[in-house]
Amino acid sequence: MEIFPISLKLQQQPCLIVGGGRIAYRKAVLLAKAGAILHVIAPEIEPDLLALLEQTQGQYIAEDFQQQVNLRDYRLVIAATNDRAVNQQVFKACEAEKVLVNSVDDLPHCRFMVPAIIDRSPLIISVASNGTSPVLSRQIRTQLETLIPHGMGKLAEFSGKWRATVKQKITNPDERRIFWEDLYASPLKEQVFNGNEAEADQLIELALQEWKTPKGEVYLVGAGPGDPELLTLKALRLMQQADVVIYDRLVSQPIMDLCRRDAEKIYVGKARSNHSVPQEGINALLVKYASQGKRVCRLKGGDPFIFGRGGEEIQELFDAGITFQVVPGITAASGCSAYAGIPLTHRDYAQSVRFLTGHLKEGSPELPWDELVYENQTLVLYMGLVGLENTCQQLIAHGQRSTMPVALISKGTTPEQKVVVGTLADIASKVSEHHIQAPTLTIIGEVVSLREQLQWQ
């Protein structure tokens, strides 16, 4: 994050604009809406800008910018002349006095940027791109304008009116946040939007009277194979309201960045022969935090019910009497195969698909090999990179042809995705040759031969 977004309170605060033209006027309009007292230094000034100046009871200094101006008299300064050299002079002077300064359309000479703004006062939403793409920021603002009702400002005012009362009634901040989230999801919001404040007051009074300490809950959420855009809408909603997020090593950082920022995050990742937290410990954590009344998101790569041990976790929750929800995710087989251009089934090549795991409960490498040797079937092997050579040998020994195509998909659906294609006879030798690392999905079947035609990543 190259910039730190803040919201400045500028009511009755003096702000200086250097420049008297149209660009200066556009910036002045925003400052005036924020309640600032405008001052302008420029040899000439547009009538509209002068009128705005008078409206805010500011001062117009009809001269060129001089170095000796006392910049510490101002909360911030905007350099908006059509002379880049003058704007740079203003920037240097402000830097010397450590005064916030913005030089319009001159990114290297800005200490702050003016974002694209969505005004739902008192709710203000801003979009900034560090000055690199203001057109993109404005485009995103336009999209958000259509999604954020104008009544949100009324809702913010209503919430402010009741904030002290709610705080006095519900002293626990975590419980208070849940109260407001539930309230915003109730019919009260529409009453406020429609201006029916008396009805809204009755609804919030009733909600406060009926409020009870919420019980804890666990969300077993599939995070998909890595690309954050493959999250379901429900997964995203629950991730953003959870108090605690317990996540494994297959959850990518971009997905973790979408969790609620102030949630407690606990890593319980497992790698081969290196379990950060054993499964029994994970089960205990889920029960512990939910028993404290917290909303717990158990975030798992792929789908929690496909080799994710989700079934074991909800059995533990059921036995402990903990409420839970399960949110399916796009499993690695679906996501990685699609991003690699390999269909799992195809009318001409594979009429069935089997998901297999390379990690069995007792550590045994044995699989029902005779059932797996079938020409028109796709095999998808999870967590099988270490035992890949043995798997290929067993399939060949049980009758599968050695030329059967095989694909290794490492870190699928992410920017680091790597796909290596071979056959049962030679794929194991390509692991070290191509530096293939976990997590890697293995696809065995004639459908792999379609990759050259269908790959799109």
Side-chain angles (χ1 to χ4, degrees):
M1 189 168 69
E2 297 181 6
I3 54 175
F4 181 72
I6 61 174
S7 299
L8 292 175
K9 298 182 71 172
L10 294 176
Q11 289 85 358
Q12 295 300 304
Q13 298 300 304
C15 297
L16 176 64
I17 298 177
V18 181
R22 208 65 200 166
I23 295 175
Y25 171 73
R26 289 202 298 267
K27 302 301 180 185
V29 168
L30 293 175
L31 292 175
K33 288 184 70 174
I37 299 173
L38 300 179
H39 296 259
V40 171
I41 296 177
E44 297 179 354
I45 188 169
E46 283 205 356
D48 289 344
L49 180 55
L50 182 61
L52 201 58
L53 213 65
E54 294 171 350
Q55 178 184 322
T56 67
Q57 299 180 332
Q59 181 183 7
Y60 170 47
I61 303 171
E63 59 184 41
D64 291 325
F65 177 78
Q66 303 295 327
Q67 190 73 35
Q68 61 268 26
V69 172
N70 189 358
L71 296 171
R72 292 192 178 183
D73 288 342
Y74 306 104
R75 286 290 185 183
L76 58 82
V77 176
I78 294 180
T81 77
N82 57 7
D83 188 330
R84 187 173 290 265
V86 172
N87 291 346
Q88 292 179 10
Q89 180 187 2
V90 174
F91 172 79
K92 291 177 181 177
C94 290
E95 284 286 276
E97 298 294 339
K98 294 183 170 51
V99 174
L100 286 176
V101 58
N102 171 274
S103 298
V104 178
D105 291 333
D106 187 6
L107 183 59
H109 298 95
C110 289
R111 185 53 60 185
F112 75 93
M113 272 66 72
V114 179
I117 296 170
I118 301 169
D119 188 357
R120 299 287 188 270
S121 294
L123 181 66
I124 302 294
I125 302 159
S126 63
V127 181
S129 64
N130 195 17
T132 57
S133 184
V135 174
L136 179 61
S137 295
R138 289 195 292 271
Q139 188 177 70
I140 293 172
R141 178 196 63 191
T142 301
Q143 293 172 353
L144 291 175
E145 285 275 9
T146 65
L147 300 175
I148 302 171
H150 283 267
M152 283 295 184
K154 294 180 181 178
L155 188 60
E157 287 184 345
F158 178 87
S159 302
K161 182 182 76 172
W162 280 91
R163 185 179 179 187
T165 302
V166 173
K167 188 174 183 179
Q168 184 178 16
K169 170 71 175 181
I170 307 173
T171 57
N172 183 293
D174 289 332
E175 291 184 21
R176 197 160 58 241
R177 184 182 62 253
I178 295 172
F179 172 83
W180 283 114
E181 288 174 353
D182 290 348
L183 201 68
Y184 294 149
S186 75
L188 175 140
K189 182 166 68 174
E190 289 299 323
Q191 295 291 352
V192 175
F193 283 1
N194 294 327
N196 301 325
E197 193 163 324
E199 288 83 352
D201 285 338
Q202 292 177 2
L203 287 174
I204 194 170
E205 286 175 350
L206 181 62
L208 284 170
Q209 290 172 10
E210 297 179 346
W211 176 256
K212 296 179 181 178
T213 299
K215 293 183 178 180
E217 185 176 11
V218 174
Y219 315 133
L220 198 63
V221 175
D227 185 345
E229 292 192 352
L230 295 181
L231 283 169
T232 65
L233 293 174
K234 187 172 185 179
L236 184 60
R237 176 172 60 82
L238 296 180
M239 286 161 56
Q240 293 179 342
Q241 73 179 35
D243 305 302
V244 180
V245 179
I246 298 175
Y247 65 102
D248 63 35
R249 74 184 182 94
L250 297 180
V251 180
S252 66
Q253 188 57 48
I255 289 176
M256 287 302 300
D257 291 340
L258 295 174
C259 295
R260 206 182 94 211
R261 188 174 301 165
D262 57 342
E264 182 178 356
K265 299 176 180 65
I266 303 172
Y267 175 69
V268 293
K270 299 175 185 176
R272 183 173 179 268
S273 302
N274 179 22
H275 289 193
S276 172
V277 178
Q279 187 61 49
E280 295 75 13
I282 295 173
N283 297 345
L285 283 173
L286 297 177
V287 172
K288 170 188 171 183
Y289 283 104
S291 298
Q292 294 173 1
K294 296 184 181 296
R295 296 175 295 183
V296 183
C297 176
R298 173 65 172 112
L299 197 56
K300 306 170 76 69
D303 181 275
F305 280 3
I306 298 184
F307 307 129
R309 305 187 72 172
E312 298 171 49
E313 292 175 358
I314 63 172
Q315 279 184 319
E316 190 83 12
L317 296 171
F318 178 82
D319 291 342
I322 303 294
T323 302
F324 59 86
Q325 299 183 45
V326 179
V327 183
I330 293 179
T331 186
S334 297
C336 297
S337 63
Y339 275 54
I342 301 172
L344 294 178
T345 62
H346 189 286
R347 185 171 59 180
D348 299 328
Y349 298 96
Q351 289 78 52
S352 64
V353 59
R354 294 186 69 156
F355 297 166
L356 310 166
T357 175
H359 284 217
L360 302 183
K361 186 171 183 180
E362 304 301 330
S364 169
E366 290 303 313
L367 290 168
W369 302 111
D370 289 329
E371 298 177 15
L372 305 182
V373 179
Y374 178 62
E375 184 71 18
N376 297 103
Q377 175 176 253
T378 303
L379 303 180
V380 181
L381 190 63
Y382 288 69
M383 301 168 287
L385 191 60
V386 173
L388 179 62
E389 184 173 7
N390 177 67
T391 299
C392 294
Q393 290 173 350
Q394 290 287 355
L395 288 172
I396 294 172
H398 285 78
Q400 185 57 273
R401 58 186 172 91
S402 62
T403 57
M404 178 63 76
V406 182
L408 302 177
I409 308 171
S410 175
K411 301 180 180 180
T413 79
T414 73
E416 294 79 35
Q417 173 175 295
K418 181 184 290 187
V419 181
V420 174
V421 174
T423 65
L424 282 176
D426 65 12
I427 193 66
S429 65
K430 295 187 177 186
V431 173
S432 58
E433 178 185 345
H434 294 274
H435 307 288
I436 298 298
Q437 298 178 339
T440 294
L441 190 83
T442 304
I443 300 179
I444 303 171
E446 197 59 47
V447 290
V448 173
S449 63
L450 297 172
R451 169 172 160 73
E452 288 189 7
Q453 302 173 36
L454 305 181
Q455 62 178 311
W456 57 276
Q457 281 291 96

